């Protein structure tokens, strides 16, 4: 299974729910193959230590059963490469060291074997990747006897080698095939929902067969975000997302393209879940806190008349309008339009509405990847635009109120948004996989994540 999980890096970001076009394109470049071969070499060597049945020595007058044991399997060469339009080819030079328990003294010999296996990568019926061995060959070279050569009769050595080769011919490819079947079980764990928040999840699925070239294998993946078990549905765009050939960092293991649709779904999920809503409450005991009726009464006389004694204010921030994410080359922005209601407690501690504001905030969006999650931070671009929606305290001088509201509203808003964005969205992945030195690039209408991969057992 360890080797299967090593090979699983080749299909690392594959997932799971049908749709007509991809929201994510995952491209595993040829550079990942060397890493997979390195990770998988030891487990594969262990798997190839197959049991050898006793050899029946017929060279004497009495048939003698002779025990044979594999002492070591050494793989000096292991290569994986993409086969365009098909899948992955494994080539390995393997040296098997045997101990022959003959009488009067044991015999040691080494048998070089070349292993060739072609693995087809396809789409399964339930949207998971499926791999299978389509062809496998074991090519044997001449055995090398380490000791006892002069005392070993050719009549024994020739049938002994024939016996060993016959056993390995059947068992080696079977062991490789079994490992690949184990890989399918491992990849099947990709089906399911990955949490985005307490009541929201993301689910991925392959939507067609992978595209294999000599340089990479590419998967079109659909991402569906769920809120309380219901999918977030966006208007269908007839134009599918296609990841250009030369984007991100060259020479990395993985290149992941994330479409505008994915970001639209994620921000719509936050909006529908109410996660973008917030309440800002003033505290009278805190020094330099302008969120109170005394400070507001200095610019709105009616507030001072209604509340001669200072009382804390509360801002009820609600986002009924859907936020807009815009992706331009080297520039990602987020535009939100919150509705802000300013409240103050009356004599019986019930809150009454003083006035409400329509607010427009343009934010710069900085994205990064931590382990397997896409996360972000924001900062305000330009001035926060504020207009009065309604007022229960008469005329409001917007210039003075805008300055005051900017001071008490902007920092809590940024803290709230950055806390949400720091949770992030899990990218398609398998257990124990991490990105190494990932970089995020912003292009027109999509994001690219480029980086290495690390599989931790």
């Amino acid at each position: 299974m360890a080797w299967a999980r090593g090979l699983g890096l080749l299909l690392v970001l594959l997932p799971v729910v049908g749709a007509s076009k991809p929201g994510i394109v995952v491209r595993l470049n040829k550079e990942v193959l060397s890493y997979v071969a390195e990770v998988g070499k030891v487990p594969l060597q262990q798997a190839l230590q197959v049991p050898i049945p006793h050899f029946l020595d017929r060279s004497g007058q009495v048939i003698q059963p002779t025990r044979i044991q594999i002492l070591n399997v050494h793989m000096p060469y292991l290569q994986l490469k993409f086969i365009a339009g098909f899948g992955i080819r494994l080539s390995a030079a393997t040296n098997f060291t045997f101990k022959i328990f003959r009488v009067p003294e044991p015999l040691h010999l080494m048998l070089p074997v070349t292993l060739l296996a072609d693995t087809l990568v396809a789409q399964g019926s339930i949207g998971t990747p499926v791999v299978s061995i389509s062809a496998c060959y074991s090519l044997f070279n001449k055995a090398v006897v380490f000791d006892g050569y002069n005392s070993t009769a050719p009549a024994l050595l020739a049938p002994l080698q024939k016996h060993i080769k016959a056993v390995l011919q059947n068992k080696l490819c079977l062991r490789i095939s079994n490992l690949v079947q184990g890989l399918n079980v491992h990849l099947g764990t990709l089906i399911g929902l990955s949490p985005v928040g307490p009541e929201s999840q993301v689910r991925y699925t392959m939507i067609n067969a992978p595209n294999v070239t000599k340089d990479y294998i590419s998967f079109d993946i659909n991402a569906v975000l769920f809120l309380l078990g219901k999918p977030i549905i966006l208007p269908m765009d007839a134009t599918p997302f296609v990841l250009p050939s030369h984007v991100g960092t060259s020479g990395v293991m993985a290149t992941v393209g994330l479409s505008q649709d994915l970001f639209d779904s994620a921000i719509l999920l936050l909006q529908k879940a109410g996660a973008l809503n917030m309440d800002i409450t003033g505290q009278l005991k805190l020094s330099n806190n302008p969120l109170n009726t005394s400070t507001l009464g200095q610019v709105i006389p009616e507030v001072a008349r209604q509340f001669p004694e200072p009382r804390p204010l509360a801002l009820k921030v609600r986002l009924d309008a859907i936020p807009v994410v815009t992706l331009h080359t080297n520039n990602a922005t987020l535009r939100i339009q919150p509705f802000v209601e300013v409240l103050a407690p009356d004599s019986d501690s019930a809150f009454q509405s003083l006035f409400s504001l329509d607010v427009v905030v343009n934010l710069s969006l900085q994205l990064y990847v931590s382990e397997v999650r896409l996360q972000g931070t924001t900062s305000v671009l330009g001035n926060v635009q504020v207009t009065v929606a309604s007022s229960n305290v008469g005329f409001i001088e917007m210039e003075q109120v805008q300055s005051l509201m900017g001071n008490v509203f902007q920092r809590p808003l940024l803290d709230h948004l950055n806390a949400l964005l720091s949770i992030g969205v899990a990218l398609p992945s398998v257990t124990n996989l991490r990105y190494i030195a990932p970089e995020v690039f912003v292009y027109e209408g999509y994001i690219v994540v480029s980086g290495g991969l690390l599989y931790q057992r």
Side-chain angles (χ1 to χ4, degrees):
M1 181 56 70
W3 168 245
R5 290 177 180 174
L7 280 178
L9 291 175
L10 298 179
L11 310 171
V12 57
L13 306 166
L14 309 185
V16 223
V17 148
S20 61
K21 65 192 185 75
I24 299 176
V25 175
V26 174
R27 184 178 296 158
L28 299 177
N29 303 309
K30 61 184 179 181
E31 285 77 10
V32 76
L33 298 177
S34 297
Y35 177 63
V36 173
E38 177 186 348
V39 170
K41 179 181 288 188
V42 171
L44 180 58
Q45 290 175 158
Q46 294 171 347
L48 294 178
Q49 291 189 344
V50 299
I52 306 295
H54 284 55
F55 168 67
L56 298 179
D57 182 5
R58 304 175 186 271
S59 60
Q61 295 180 350
V62 179
I63 297 177
Q64 295 287 342
T66 303
R67 180 187 166 203
I68 303 173
Q69 179 186 357
I70 295 179
L71 296 180
N72 183 49
V73 178
H74 175 59
M75 196 170 288
Y77 172 82
L78 174 61
Q79 182 189 57
L80 299 172
K81 69 176 182 178
F82 292 125
I83 304 300
F86 182 78
I88 303 162
R89 174 166 294 167
L90 178 148
S91 304
T94 311
N95 295 326
F96 290 81
T97 302
F98 299 90
K99 182 177 182 180
I100 316 299
F101 292 85
R102 64 164 191 168
V103 177
E105 59 182 355
L107 173 69
H108 294 81
L109 62 83
M110 187 268 288
L111 179 63
V113 182
T114 299
L115 298 173
L116 300 173
D118 287 344
T119 303
L120 175 66
V121 184
Q123 179 192 18
S125 60
I126 59 174
T128 58
V130 175
V131 292
S132 60
I133 296 294
S134 63
C136 183
Y137 306 95
S138 301
L139 307 177
F140 298 92
N141 294 316
K142 185 177 180 180
V144 177
V145 179
F146 291 133
D147 48 28
Y149 178 79
N150 293 330
S151 60
T152 304
L156 171 63
L157 192 57
L160 178 62
Q161 292 186 61
K162 183 178 179 180
H163 171 75
I164 293 174
K165 290 178 181 179
V167 173
L168 294 183
Q169 189 80 49
N170 294 326
K171 290 189 175 183
L172 296 184
C173 285
L174 181 60
R175 285 296 182 94
I176 295 174
S177 180
N178 287 341
L179 287 172
V180 171
Q181 293 302 316
L183 175 59
N184 285 329
V185 174
H186 182 60
L187 292 173
T189 62
L190 291 165
I191 299 177
L193 300 175
S194 299
V196 176
E199 299 175 337
S200 55
Q201 302 85 25
V202 62
R203 190 182 186 194
Y204 300 104
T205 183
M206 284 178 61
I207 61 175
N208 50 32
N211 176 36
V212 187
T213 73
K214 66 180 181 63
D215 295 319
Y216 60 81
I217 183 168
S218 180
F219 302 90
D220 291 339
I221 294 171
N222 185 47
V224 179
L225 290 155
F226 291 85
L227 176 62
L228 295 173
K230 296 182 179 181
I232 300 297
I233 305 298
L234 293 174
M236 291 303 298
D237 185 349
T239 305
F241 173 51
V242 178
L243 183 64
S245 298
H246 302 289
V247 291
T249 306
S250 61
V252 297
M253 295 184 190
T255 304
V256 182
L258 310 171
S259 71
Q260 176 80 51
D261 285 347
L262 179 65
F263 289 90
D264 292 342
S265 295
I267 203 69
L268 181 60
L269 174 70
L270 293 175
Q271 187 261 340
K272 285 186 173 294
L276 297 173
N277 299 334
M278 59 182 294
D279 294 326
I280 304 172
T281 304
Q283 299 291 332
L284 289 179
K285 295 182 180 180
L286 295 179
S287 60
N288 300 321
N289 175 36
L291 196 57
N292 58 70
T293 55
S294 295
T295 303
L296 189 61
Q298 296 175 16
V299 295
I300 305 178
E302 181 62 20
V303 173
R305 188 189 70 79
Q306 293 186 24
F307 299 94
E309 297 295 327
R311 296 187 182 181
L313 295 175
L315 304 184
K316 187 177 181 180
V317 183
R318 298 295 180 264
L319 271 82
D320 297 324
I322 299 174
V324 177
V325 175
T326 304
L327 303 176
H328 295 302
T329 302
N330 299 324
N331 183 30
T333 60
L334 174 63
R335 182 183 177 91
I336 61 173
Q337 297 175 268
F339 178 81
V340 179
E341 189 174 12
V342 181
L343 306 146
D346 58 20
S347 56
D348 58 1
S349 298
F351 277 87
Q352 68 179 66
S353 176
L354 303 182
F355 57 91
S356 60
L357 305 171
D358 289 322
V359 182
V360 178
V361 185
N362 292 305
L363 300 154
S364 175
L365 187 58
Q366 296 83 40
L367 299 168
Y368 60 95
V369 173
S370 176
E371 295 187 345
V372 294
R373 302 188 73 86
L374 180 66
Q375 300 169 306
T377 60
T378 61
S379 57
V380 174
L381 287 173
N383 295 323
V384 176
Q385 303 171 39
V386 181
T387 57
V388 176
S390 65
S391 174
N392 295 318
V393 290
F395 176 76
I396 297 176
E397 179 62 47
M398 275 312 307
E399 184 174 341
Q400 292 179 309
V401 172
Q402 181 164 358
S403 175
L404 176 63
M405 297 305 295
N407 292 332
V408 300
F409 171 72
Q410 183 170 310
R411 175 45 55 191
L413 175 68
L414 286 178
D415 290 343
H416 182 69
L417 291 176
N418 287 334
L420 287 173
L421 294 173
S422 67
I423 298 172
V425 176
L427 296 173
S429 181
V430 295
T431 304
N432 299 330
L433 182 75
R434 300 291 182 267
Y435 287 91
I436 299 299
E439 294 183 88
V440 178
F441 301 87
V442 183
Y443 294 93
E444 195 71 26
Y446 65 97
I447 297 287
V448 168
V449 177
S450 294
L453 300 171
L454 175 65
Y455 186 82
Q456 297 174 318
R457 296 188 183 92

